[in-house]
Amino acid sequence: MIGLEHYLILSVIIFCIGLLGLLRRKNLLMLFFSTEIMLNAINLAFVSVSSYLGDITGQTVAFFVIAIAASEVAIGIALILLWFKKTRTIDLDSLKYIKG
Amino acid sequence: MYEIIAFYLFSSIILALFYIVVTTKQPVFAITALASGLIFIGGLFFLLDAEFLGVIQIAVYSGGIMALYAFGFMFFDASKDIEERTSANKLPFVLFVLVCVILNFLLISPKIALPKPIVEIDTNITNAHQLGLELFSKYLLAFELAAILLLVAMIGGIMLLSSKMDKSWTTTPDDEIKADS
């Protein structure tokens, strides 16, 4: 039988894959993909706990996480595009030369 | 039995796809693998009796957010690939395994008695019905704030990317606008 532990372990592994992506990638767009993966791991944990506890609150929180992820993507894509217009690159290292 | 098969099938596919996302050099592979992995996470939601969130996952994530990424993608030069870090290539993998083990211990080892549910799942009404009742009674303020957050994000995205937003189009004469553009 599939228990709560199975889902929690799966969500931890997915979260760590996202973390690995954050550490490894240098493409700014790929960093956003990694954050999407991490947010989805959290969502999976919320929904599985909600389902095994018999409590709907976890699903409500997951719903809000999806809303926040959507707004984060909208702003993030706009900022990356702005940076790309300015420097013609989306390499993470180009942010080293940023000046305030 | 079907639950076990579905769980292991979905989870292995999800892990493989997400691993492709973080390791591939082709951005198009990454976006395709991410979209399909998100659909399979929606499948896991269906397995957990959260049908509404499963549909939201497929519609909003794989439909909306991935379309946004795909549109954003067209503006970048995807043919020029970016050099990945090679000098410290082993460190992220070591950290990955360590964090994985520690988080698993944190989540799994203590056998705490599960707390009493705050709002119990009612099996007589559908999942979407109960989620709606919950959202529009107990979490109404948070729901409205999420709506405002989305509006702010939309206006912010438009403001960041369009030029000449500081000009009023109603007060400047037409020929001036035409001369500018």
Side-chain angles (χ1 to χ4, degrees):
Chain A
M1 197 54 207
I2 300 292
L4 178 59
E5 285 88 1
H6 290 75
Y7 283 102
L8 287 181
I9 290 173
L10 177 66
S11 80
V12 164
I13 297 173
I14 295 175
F15 186 86
C16 288
I17 288 178
L19 208 60
L20 178 70
L22 273 186
L23 292 172
R24 265 192 94 241
R25 303 314 293 257
K26 278 207 316 197
N27 191 333
L28 277 175
L29 214 57
M30 295 298 156
L31 293 186
F32 271 89
F33 286 1
S34 306
T35 50
E36 292 299 322
I37 293 174
M38 288 162 85
L39 281 170
N40 268 282
I42 301 301
N43 261 354
L44 185 61
F46 267 126
V47 174
S48 59
V49 169
S50 149
S51 163
Y52 276 91
L53 225 57
D55 187 343
I56 198 85
T57 313
Q59 293 180 28
T60 331
V61 176
F63 183 82
F64 288 126
V65 171
I66 292 179
I68 289 169
S71 50
E72 173 244 321
V73 168
I75 291 289
I77 287 272
L79 284 174
I80 297 179
L81 265 176
L82 214 59
W83 185 248
F84 184 74
K85 268 187 189 169
K86 211 171 172 181
T87 61
R88 311 307 296 172
T89 177
I90 46 171
D91 196 330
L92 184 63
D93 283 349
S94 65
L95 287 167
K96 263 198 305 203
Y97 309 109
I98 198 163
K99 289 209 177 75
Chain B
M1 187 62 204
Y2 284 118
E3 196 198 353
I4 297 172
I5 295 172
F7 175 79
Y8 282 110
L9 183 70
F10 282 161
S11 49
S12 50
I13 292 174
I14 286 169
L15 290 178
L17 285 171
F18 282 169
Y19 189 73
I20 290 172
V21 173
V22 298
T23 51
T24 183
K25 277 196 174 157
Q26 305 274 341
V28 184
F29 285 3
I31 199 167
T32 317
L34 184 60
S36 29
L38 295 181
I39 289 178
F40 282 111
I41 282 196
L44 280 183
F45 286 174
F46 279 108
L47 216 60
L48 285 163
D49 296 326
E51 303 97 17
F52 184 71
L53 271 181
V55 173
I56 288 286
Q57 175 84 12
I58 293 173
V60 173
Y61 254 117
S62 312
I65 295 183
M66 280 304 121
L68 200 59
Y69 273 127
F71 275 122
F73 223 71
M74 295 172 193
F75 292 97
F76 304 122
D77 189 7
S79 59
K80 190 173 62 185
D81 54 333
I82 292 166
E83 286 279 313
E84 300 294 341
R85 286 192 190 91
T86 45
S87 56
N89 219 351
K90 270 198 186 121
L91 187 64
F93 283 98
V94 176
L95 282 175
F96 165 70
V97 174
L98 274 181
V99 173
C100 236
V101 170
I102 291 169
L103 273 178
N104 271 326
F105 269 117
L106 274 179
L107 280 177
I108 306 307
S109 61
K111 292 282 178 201
I112 309 165
L114 290 175
K116 248 179 100 177
I118 304 165
V119 187
E120 278 187 49
I121 288 180
D122 190 352
T123 44
N124 294 324
I125 55 176
T126 58
N127 178 258
H129 187 173
Q130 200 182 3
L131 201 61
L133 285 177
E134 185 80 352
L135 272 178
F136 287 104
S137 59
K138 212 172 158 193
Y139 295 97
L140 184 61
L141 182 65
F143 187 77
E144 299 291 343
L145 285 178
I148 291 175
L149 180 72
L150 283 169
L151 181 69
V152 167
M154 187 181 80
I155 295 175
I158 296 169
M159 278 297 291
L160 279 174
L161 282 181
S162 40
S163 52
K164 293 179 197 152
M165 283 298 272
D166 49 334
K167 255 186 203 166
S168 167
W169 294 83
T170 45
T171 52
T172 44
D174 277 351
D175 45 335
E176 225 174 277
I177 294 171
K178 270 181 197 146
D180 278 345
S181 62

PDB file of all heavy atoms in Angstrom, chain B residues 53-85:
ATOM      1  N   LEU B  53      -7.359  20.230  -7.942  1.00  0.00           N
ATOM      2  CA  LEU B  53      -5.981  20.700  -8.082  1.00  0.00           C
ATOM      3  C   LEU B  53      -5.279  20.026  -9.245  1.00  0.00           C
ATOM      4  O   LEU B  53      -4.417  20.619  -9.885  1.00  0.00           O
ATOM      5  CB  LEU B  53      -5.206  20.436  -6.794  1.00  0.00           C
ATOM      6  CG  LEU B  53      -5.291  21.558  -5.785  1.00  0.00           C
ATOM      7  CD1 LEU B  53      -4.487  21.204  -4.565  1.00  0.00           C
ATOM      8  CD2 LEU B  53      -4.774  22.842  -6.365  1.00  0.00           C
ATOM      9  N   GLY B  54      -5.648  18.764  -9.536  1.00  0.00           N
ATOM     10  CA  GLY B  54      -5.077  18.094 -10.708  1.00  0.00           C
ATOM     11  C   GLY B  54      -5.423  18.834 -11.987  1.00  0.00           C
ATOM     12  O   GLY B  54      -4.569  19.067 -12.841  1.00  0.00           O
ATOM     13  N   VAL B  55      -6.701  19.232 -12.101  1.00  0.00           N
ATOM     14  CA  VAL B  55      -7.120  19.972 -13.302  1.00  0.00           C
ATOM     15  C   VAL B  55      -6.425  21.323 -13.361  1.00  0.00           C
ATOM     16  O   VAL B  55      -5.931  21.753 -14.410  1.00  0.00           O
ATOM     17  CB  VAL B  55      -8.653  20.125 -13.314  1.00  0.00           C
ATOM     18  CG1 VAL B  55      -9.087  21.030 -14.434  1.00  0.00           C
ATOM     19  CG2 VAL B  55      -9.304  18.779 -13.451  1.00  0.00           C
ATOM     20  N   ILE B  56      -6.342  22.006 -12.182  1.00  0.00           N
ATOM     21  CA  ILE B  56      -5.672  23.308 -12.131  1.00  0.00           C
ATOM     22  C   ILE B  56      -4.209  23.161 -12.538  1.00  0.00           C
ATOM     23  O   ILE B  56      -3.654  23.993 -13.270  1.00  0.00           O
ATOM     24  CB  ILE B  56      -5.769  23.886 -10.703  1.00  0.00           C
ATOM     25  CG1 ILE B  56      -7.193  24.348 -10.420  1.00  0.00           C
ATOM     26  CG2 ILE B  56      -4.820  25.048 -10.511  1.00  0.00           C
ATOM     27  CD1 ILE B  56      -7.577  25.602 -11.106  1.00  0.00           C
ATOM     28  N   GLN B  57      -3.587  22.083 -12.064  1.00  0.00           N
ATOM     29  CA  GLN B  57      -2.177  21.845 -12.385  1.00  0.00           C
ATOM     30  C   GLN B  57      -1.980  21.735 -13.891  1.00  0.00           C
ATOM     31  O   GLN B  57      -1.081  22.349 -14.459  1.00  0.00           O
ATOM     32  CB  GLN B  57      -1.734  20.555 -11.694  1.00  0.00           C
ATOM     33  CG  GLN B  57      -0.341  20.103 -12.023  1.00  0.00           C
ATOM     34  CD  GLN B  57       0.691  20.784 -11.171  1.00  0.00           C
ATOM     35  OE1 GLN B  57       0.359  21.424 -10.200  1.00  0.00           O
ATOM     36  NE2 GLN B  57       1.935  20.651 -11.553  1.00  0.00           N
ATOM     37  N   ILE B  58      -2.855  20.947 -14.535  1.00  0.00           N
ATOM     38  CA  ILE B  58      -2.694  20.758 -15.980  1.00  0.00           C
ATOM     39  C   ILE B  58      -3.029  22.044 -16.729  1.00  0.00           C
ATOM     40  O   ILE B  58      -2.321  22.446 -17.656  1.00  0.00           O
ATOM     41  CB  ILE B  58      -3.561  19.579 -16.463  1.00  0.00           C
ATOM     42  CG1 ILE B  58      -3.002  18.282 -15.874  1.00  0.00           C
ATOM     43  CG2 ILE B  58      -3.574  19.495 -17.961  1.00  0.00           C
ATOM     44  CD1 ILE B  58      -3.852  17.090 -16.140  1.00  0.00           C
ATOM     45  N   ALA B  59      -4.126  22.724 -16.308  1.00  0.00           N
ATOM     46  CA  ALA B  59      -4.570  23.898 -17.060  1.00  0.00           C
ATOM     47  C   ALA B  59      -3.656  25.083 -16.833  1.00  0.00           C
ATOM     48  O   ALA B  59      -3.210  25.734 -17.778  1.00  0.00           O
ATOM     49  CB  ALA B  59      -6.008  24.246 -16.668  1.00  0.00           C
ATOM     50  N   VAL B  60      -3.360  25.389 -15.545  1.00  0.00           N
ATOM     51  CA  VAL B  60      -2.610  26.613 -15.249  1.00  0.00           C
ATOM     52  C   VAL B  60      -1.111  26.395 -15.482  1.00  0.00           C
ATOM     53  O   VAL B  60      -0.460  27.197 -16.153  1.00  0.00           O
ATOM     54  CB  VAL B  60      -2.879  27.062 -13.805  1.00  0.00           C
ATOM     55  CG1 VAL B  60      -1.975  28.219 -13.447  1.00  0.00           C
ATOM     56  CG2 VAL B  60      -4.310  27.477 -13.649  1.00  0.00           C
ATOM     57  N   TYR B  61      -0.576  25.297 -14.928  1.00  0.00           N
ATOM     58  CA  TYR B  61       0.868  25.093 -15.057  1.00  0.00           C
ATOM     59  C   TYR B  61       1.255  24.710 -16.479  1.00  0.00           C
ATOM     60  O   TYR B  61       1.983  25.425 -17.156  1.00  0.00           O
ATOM     61  CB  TYR B  61       1.331  24.009 -14.085  1.00  0.00           C
ATOM     62  CG  TYR B  61       2.088  24.586 -12.921  1.00  0.00           C
ATOM     63  CD1 TYR B  61       1.621  24.478 -11.634  1.00  0.00           C
ATOM     64  CD2 TYR B  61       3.273  25.250 -13.135  1.00  0.00           C
ATOM     65  CE1 TYR B  61       2.307  25.023 -10.583  1.00  0.00           C
ATOM     66  CE2 TYR B  61       3.963  25.794 -12.089  1.00  0.00           C
ATOM     67  CZ  TYR B  61       3.482  25.676 -10.814  1.00  0.00           C
ATOM     68  OH  TYR B  61       4.157  26.217  -9.780  1.00  0.00           O
ATOM     69  N   SER B  62       0.739  23.565 -16.934  1.00  0.00           N
ATOM     70  CA  SER B  62       1.190  23.089 -18.241  1.00  0.00           C
ATOM     71  C   SER B  62       0.627  23.927 -19.359  1.00  0.00           C
ATOM     72  O   SER B  62       1.209  24.024 -20.430  1.00  0.00           O
ATOM     73  CB  SER B  62       0.791  21.631 -18.421  1.00  0.00           C
ATOM     74  OG  SER B  62       1.143  20.921 -17.274  1.00  0.00           O
ATOM     75  N   GLY B  63      -0.553  24.553 -19.123  1.00  0.00           N
ATOM     76  CA  GLY B  63      -1.125  25.390 -20.159  1.00  0.00           C
ATOM     77  C   GLY B  63      -0.615  26.810 -20.085  1.00  0.00           C
ATOM     78  O   GLY B  63       0.051  27.296 -20.996  1.00  0.00           O
ATOM     79  N   GLY B  64      -0.889  27.477 -18.959  1.00  0.00           N
ATOM     80  CA  GLY B  64      -0.614  28.911 -18.862  1.00  0.00           C
ATOM     81  C   GLY B  64       0.850  29.235 -18.683  1.00  0.00           C
ATOM     82  O   GLY B  64       1.446  29.964 -19.483  1.00  0.00           O
ATOM     83  N   ILE B  65       1.451  28.680 -17.620  1.00  0.00           N
ATOM     84  CA  ILE B  65       2.812  29.084 -17.285  1.00  0.00           C
ATOM     85  C   ILE B  65       3.791  28.610 -18.353  1.00  0.00           C
ATOM     86  O   ILE B  65       4.709  29.341 -18.747  1.00  0.00           O
ATOM     87  CB  ILE B  65       3.168  28.553 -15.883  1.00  0.00           C
ATOM     88  CG1 ILE B  65       2.280  29.227 -14.841  1.00  0.00           C
ATOM     89  CG2 ILE B  65       4.617  28.776 -15.563  1.00  0.00           C
ATOM     90  CD1 ILE B  65       2.564  28.849 -13.433  1.00  0.00           C
ATOM     91  N   MET B  66       3.569  27.398 -18.863  1.00  0.00           N
ATOM     92  CA  MET B  66       4.476  26.897 -19.897  1.00  0.00           C
ATOM     93  C   MET B  66       4.339  27.691 -21.186  1.00  0.00           C
ATOM     94  O   MET B  66       5.320  27.914 -21.899  1.00  0.00           O
ATOM     95  CB  MET B  66       4.199  25.419 -20.158  1.00  0.00           C
ATOM     96  CG  MET B  66       4.819  24.514 -19.158  1.00  0.00           C
ATOM     97  SD  MET B  66       6.575  24.778 -19.042  1.00  0.00           S
ATOM     98  CE  MET B  66       6.752  25.194 -17.356  1.00  0.00           C
ATOM     99  N   ALA B  67       3.113  28.140 -21.496  1.00  0.00           N
ATOM    100  CA  ALA B  67       2.929  28.972 -22.688  1.00  0.00           C
ATOM    101  C   ALA B  67       3.666  30.295 -22.515  1.00  0.00           C
ATOM    102  O   ALA B  67       4.298  30.798 -23.453  1.00  0.00           O
ATOM    103  CB  ALA B  67       1.445  29.216 -22.935  1.00  0.00           C
ATOM    104  N   LEU B  68       3.611  30.839 -21.276  1.00  0.00           N
ATOM    105  CA  LEU B  68       4.326  32.080 -20.987  1.00  0.00           C
ATOM    106  C   LEU B  68       5.824  31.898 -21.202  1.00  0.00           C
ATOM    107  O   LEU B  68       6.500  32.723 -21.822  1.00  0.00           O
ATOM    108  CB  LEU B  68       4.032  32.483 -19.543  1.00  0.00           C
ATOM    109  CG  LEU B  68       4.268  33.934 -19.163  1.00  0.00           C
ATOM    110  CD1 LEU B  68       3.426  34.826 -20.027  1.00  0.00           C
ATOM    111  CD2 LEU B  68       3.913  34.140 -17.715  1.00  0.00           C
ATOM    112  N   TYR B  69       6.349  30.758 -20.685  1.00  0.00           N
ATOM    113  CA  TYR B  69       7.768  30.478 -20.883  1.00  0.00           C
ATOM    114  C   TYR B  69       8.096  30.333 -22.361  1.00  0.00           C
ATOM    115  O   TYR B  69       9.122  30.820 -22.837  1.00  0.00           O
ATOM    116  CB  TYR B  69       8.158  29.188 -20.160  1.00  0.00           C
ATOM    117  CG  TYR B  69       8.548  29.384 -18.732  1.00  0.00           C
ATOM    118  CD1 TYR B  69       7.948  28.654 -17.730  1.00  0.00           C
ATOM    119  CD2 TYR B  69       9.527  30.299 -18.388  1.00  0.00           C
ATOM    120  CE1 TYR B  69       8.294  28.837 -16.412  1.00  0.00           C
ATOM    121  CE2 TYR B  69       9.879  30.479 -17.075  1.00  0.00           C
ATOM    122  CZ  TYR B  69       9.260  29.741 -16.092  1.00  0.00           C
ATOM    123  OH  TYR B  69       9.610  29.928 -14.805  1.00  0.00           O
ATOM    124  N   ALA B  70       7.198  29.642 -23.103  1.00  0.00           N
ATOM    125  CA  ALA B  70       7.459  29.429 -24.527  1.00  0.00           C
ATOM    126  C   ALA B  70       7.484  30.754 -25.265  1.00  0.00           C
ATOM    127  O   ALA B  70       8.331  30.977 -26.140  1.00  0.00           O
ATOM    128  CB  ALA B  70       6.403  28.499 -25.112  1.00  0.00           C
ATOM    129  N   PHE B  71       6.576  31.675 -24.882  1.00  0.00           N
ATOM    130  CA  PHE B  71       6.582  32.988 -25.532  1.00  0.00           C
ATOM    131  C   PHE B  71       7.840  33.763 -25.162  1.00  0.00           C
ATOM    132  O   PHE B  71       8.439  34.421 -26.019  1.00  0.00           O
ATOM    133  CB  PHE B  71       5.339  33.785 -25.138  1.00  0.00           C
ATOM    134  CG  PHE B  71       4.154  33.466 -25.976  1.00  0.00           C
ATOM    135  CD1 PHE B  71       2.990  32.994 -25.416  1.00  0.00           C
ATOM    136  CD2 PHE B  71       4.214  33.627 -27.353  1.00  0.00           C
ATOM    137  CE1 PHE B  71       1.908  32.675 -26.192  1.00  0.00           C
ATOM    138  CE2 PHE B  71       3.132  33.311 -28.140  1.00  0.00           C
ATOM    139  CZ  PHE B  71       1.966  32.831 -27.556  1.00  0.00           C
ATOM    140  N   GLY B  72       8.218  33.687 -23.879  1.00  0.00           N
ATOM    141  CA  GLY B  72       9.428  34.368 -23.462  1.00  0.00           C
ATOM    142  C   GLY B  72      10.646  33.831 -24.182  1.00  0.00           C
ATOM    143  O   GLY B  72      11.581  34.554 -24.507  1.00  0.00           O
ATOM    144  N   PHE B  73      10.578  32.536 -24.445  1.00  0.00           N
ATOM    145  CA  PHE B  73      11.657  31.823 -25.107  1.00  0.00           C
ATOM    146  C   PHE B  73      11.998  32.374 -26.480  1.00  0.00           C
ATOM    147  O   PHE B  73      13.148  32.389 -26.895  1.00  0.00           O
ATOM    148  CB  PHE B  73      11.163  30.398 -25.283  1.00  0.00           C
ATOM    149  CG  PHE B  73      12.185  29.402 -24.958  1.00  0.00           C
ATOM    150  CD1 PHE B  73      12.563  29.209 -23.653  1.00  0.00           C
ATOM    151  CD2 PHE B  73      12.787  28.673 -25.943  1.00  0.00           C
ATOM    152  CE1 PHE B  73      13.511  28.305 -23.342  1.00  0.00           C
ATOM    153  CE2 PHE B  73      13.736  27.764 -25.634  1.00  0.00           C
ATOM    154  CZ  PHE B  73      14.094  27.583 -24.328  1.00  0.00           C
ATOM    155  N   MET B  74      10.930  32.801 -27.190  1.00  0.00           N
ATOM    156  CA  MET B  74      11.134  33.225 -28.577  1.00  0.00           C
ATOM    157  C   MET B  74      11.976  34.487 -28.665  1.00  0.00           C
ATOM    158  O   MET B  74      12.551  34.776 -29.704  1.00  0.00           O
ATOM    159  CB  MET B  74       9.784  33.490 -29.231  1.00  0.00           C
ATOM    160  CG  MET B  74       8.939  32.261 -29.352  1.00  0.00           C
ATOM    161  SD  MET B  74       7.314  32.715 -29.896  1.00  0.00           S
ATOM    162  CE  MET B  74       6.432  31.223 -29.582  1.00  0.00           C
ATOM    163  N   PHE B  75      12.037  35.244 -27.551  1.00  0.00           N
ATOM    164  CA  PHE B  75      12.783  36.498 -27.597  1.00  0.00           C
ATOM    165  C   PHE B  75      14.263  36.289 -27.353  1.00  0.00           C
ATOM    166  O   PHE B  75      15.067  37.153 -27.638  1.00  0.00           O
ATOM    167  CB  PHE B  75      12.222  37.479 -26.565  1.00  0.00           C
ATOM    168  CG  PHE B  75      10.856  37.941 -26.897  1.00  0.00           C
ATOM    169  CD1 PHE B  75       9.752  37.344 -26.321  1.00  0.00           C
ATOM    170  CD2 PHE B  75      10.663  38.965 -27.809  1.00  0.00           C
ATOM    171  CE1 PHE B  75       8.487  37.767 -26.640  1.00  0.00           C
ATOM    172  CE2 PHE B  75       9.392  39.385 -28.129  1.00  0.00           C
ATOM    173  CZ  PHE B  75       8.303  38.793 -27.546  1.00  0.00           C
ATOM    174  N   PHE B  76      14.600  35.122 -26.768  1.00  0.00           N
ATOM    175  CA  PHE B  76      16.003  34.892 -26.480  1.00  0.00           C
ATOM    176  C   PHE B  76      16.668  34.162 -27.637  1.00  0.00           C
ATOM    177  O   PHE B  76      16.017  33.486 -28.417  1.00  0.00           O
ATOM    178  CB  PHE B  76      16.163  34.052 -25.215  1.00  0.00           C
ATOM    179  CG  PHE B  76      15.504  34.651 -24.032  1.00  0.00           C
ATOM    180  CD1 PHE B  76      14.544  33.959 -23.335  1.00  0.00           C
ATOM    181  CD2 PHE B  76      15.832  35.935 -23.627  1.00  0.00           C
ATOM    182  CE1 PHE B  76      13.928  34.519 -22.247  1.00  0.00           C
ATOM    183  CE2 PHE B  76      15.217  36.491 -22.538  1.00  0.00           C
ATOM    184  CZ  PHE B  76      14.258  35.788 -21.856  1.00  0.00           C
ATOM    185  N   ASP B  77      17.984  34.288 -27.668  1.00  0.00           N
ATOM    186  CA  ASP B  77      18.748  33.577 -28.686  1.00  0.00           C
ATOM    187  C   ASP B  77      19.040  32.177 -28.157  1.00  0.00           C
ATOM    188  O   ASP B  77      19.985  31.967 -27.414  1.00  0.00           O
ATOM    189  CB  ASP B  77      20.044  34.350 -28.954  1.00  0.00           C
ATOM    190  CG  ASP B  77      20.756  33.784 -30.151  1.00  0.00           C
ATOM    191  OD1 ASP B  77      20.168  32.904 -30.807  1.00  0.00           O
ATOM    192  OD2 ASP B  77      21.871  34.215 -30.422  1.00  0.00           O
ATOM    193  N   ALA B  78      18.197  31.222 -28.551  1.00  0.00           N
ATOM    194  CA  ALA B  78      18.316  29.886 -27.979  1.00  0.00           C
ATOM    195  C   ALA B  78      19.426  29.072 -28.625  1.00  0.00           C
ATOM    196  O   ALA B  78      19.871  28.074 -28.082  1.00  0.00           O
ATOM    197  CB  ALA B  78      16.990  29.142 -28.106  1.00  0.00           C
ATOM    198  N   SER B  79      19.855  29.524 -29.811  1.00  0.00           N
ATOM    199  CA  SER B  79      20.863  28.726 -30.508  1.00  0.00           C
ATOM    200  C   SER B  79      22.230  28.861 -29.840  1.00  0.00           C
ATOM    201  O   SER B  79      23.059  27.964 -29.916  1.00  0.00           O
ATOM    202  CB  SER B  79      20.950  29.171 -31.966  1.00  0.00           C
ATOM    203  OG  SER B  79      21.289  30.537 -32.014  1.00  0.00           O
ATOM    204  N   LYS B  80      22.422  30.003 -29.175  1.00  0.00           N
ATOM    205  CA  LYS B  80      23.708  30.224 -28.525  1.00  0.00           C
ATOM    206  C   LYS B  80      23.662  29.587 -27.144  1.00  0.00           C
ATOM    207  O   LYS B  80      22.969  30.077 -26.244  1.00  0.00           O
ATOM    208  CB  LYS B  80      23.960  31.725 -28.416  1.00  0.00           C
ATOM    209  CG  LYS B  80      25.355  32.085 -27.981  1.00  0.00           C
ATOM    210  CD  LYS B  80      25.567  33.580 -28.065  1.00  0.00           C
ATOM    211  CE  LYS B  80      24.648  34.347 -27.158  1.00  0.00           C
ATOM    212  NZ  LYS B  80      24.732  35.783 -27.283  1.00  0.00           N
ATOM    213  N   ASP B  81      24.356  28.460 -26.970  1.00  0.00           N
ATOM    214  CA  ASP B  81      24.248  27.792 -25.675  1.00  0.00           C
ATOM    215  C   ASP B  81      25.249  28.393 -24.693  1.00  0.00           C
ATOM    216  O   ASP B  81      26.322  28.876 -25.063  1.00  0.00           O
ATOM    217  CB  ASP B  81      24.435  26.275 -25.798  1.00  0.00           C
ATOM    218  CG  ASP B  81      25.712  25.924 -26.489  1.00  0.00           C
ATOM    219  OD1 ASP B  81      26.168  26.761 -27.291  1.00  0.00           O
ATOM    220  OD2 ASP B  81      26.242  24.837 -26.255  1.00  0.00           O
ATOM    221  N   ILE B  82      24.844  28.344 -23.422  1.00  0.00           N
ATOM    222  CA  ILE B  82      25.613  28.982 -22.366  1.00  0.00           C
ATOM    223  C   ILE B  82      26.486  27.941 -21.691  1.00  0.00           C
ATOM    224  O   ILE B  82      26.040  26.841 -21.389  1.00  0.00           O
ATOM    225  CB  ILE B  82      24.651  29.650 -21.369  1.00  0.00           C
ATOM    226  CG1 ILE B  82      23.968  30.835 -22.050  1.00  0.00           C
ATOM    227  CG2 ILE B  82      25.372  30.100 -20.125  1.00  0.00           C
ATOM    228  CD1 ILE B  82      22.794  31.347 -21.310  1.00  0.00           C
ATOM    229  N   GLU B  83      27.740  28.301 -21.485  1.00  0.00           N
ATOM    230  CA  GLU B  83      28.686  27.394 -20.827  1.00  0.00           C
ATOM    231  C   GLU B  83      28.224  27.095 -19.400  1.00  0.00           C
ATOM    232  O   GLU B  83      27.974  28.005 -18.626  1.00  0.00           O
ATOM    233  CB  GLU B  83      30.064  28.053 -20.776  1.00  0.00           C
ATOM    234  CG  GLU B  83      30.790  28.087 -22.101  1.00  0.00           C
ATOM    235  CD  GLU B  83      31.468  26.766 -22.403  1.00  0.00           C
ATOM    236  OE1 GLU B  83      32.138  26.235 -21.512  1.00  0.00           O
ATOM    237  OE2 GLU B  83      31.302  26.282 -23.534  1.00  0.00           O
ATOM    238  N   GLU B  84      28.107  25.809 -19.086  1.00  0.00           N
ATOM    239  CA  GLU B  84      27.757  25.444 -17.716  1.00  0.00           C
ATOM    240  C   GLU B  84      29.019  25.392 -16.871  1.00  0.00           C
ATOM    241  O   GLU B  84      30.133  25.308 -17.388  1.00  0.00           O
ATOM    242  CB  GLU B  84      27.049  24.081 -17.692  1.00  0.00           C
ATOM    243  CG  GLU B  84      25.778  24.039 -18.481  1.00  0.00           C
ATOM    244  CD  GLU B  84      24.692  24.938 -17.907  1.00  0.00           C
ATOM    245  OE1 GLU B  84      24.779  25.315 -16.729  1.00  0.00           O
ATOM    246  OE2 GLU B  84      23.764  25.260 -18.661  1.00  0.00           O
ATOM    247  N   ARG B  85      28.797  25.415 -15.564  1.00  0.00           N
ATOM    248  CA  ARG B  85      29.952  25.329 -14.673  1.00  0.00           C
ATOM    249  C   ARG B  85      30.586  23.950 -14.797  1.00  0.00           C
ATOM    250  O   ARG B  85      29.912  22.940 -14.705  1.00  0.00           O
ATOM    251  CB  ARG B  85      29.506  25.535 -13.232  1.00  0.00           C
ATOM    252  CG  ARG B  85      29.177  26.968 -12.924  1.00  0.00           C
ATOM    253  CD  ARG B  85      29.022  27.165 -11.442  1.00  0.00           C
ATOM    254  NE  ARG B  85      28.483  28.494 -11.197  1.00  0.00           N
ATOM    255  CZ  ARG B  85      27.199  28.748 -11.118  1.00  0.00           C
ATOM    256  NH1 ARG B  85      26.351  27.781 -11.228  1.00  0.00           N
ATOM    257  NH2 ARG B  85      26.777  29.975 -10.917  1.00  0.00           N
TER     258      ARG B  85
END
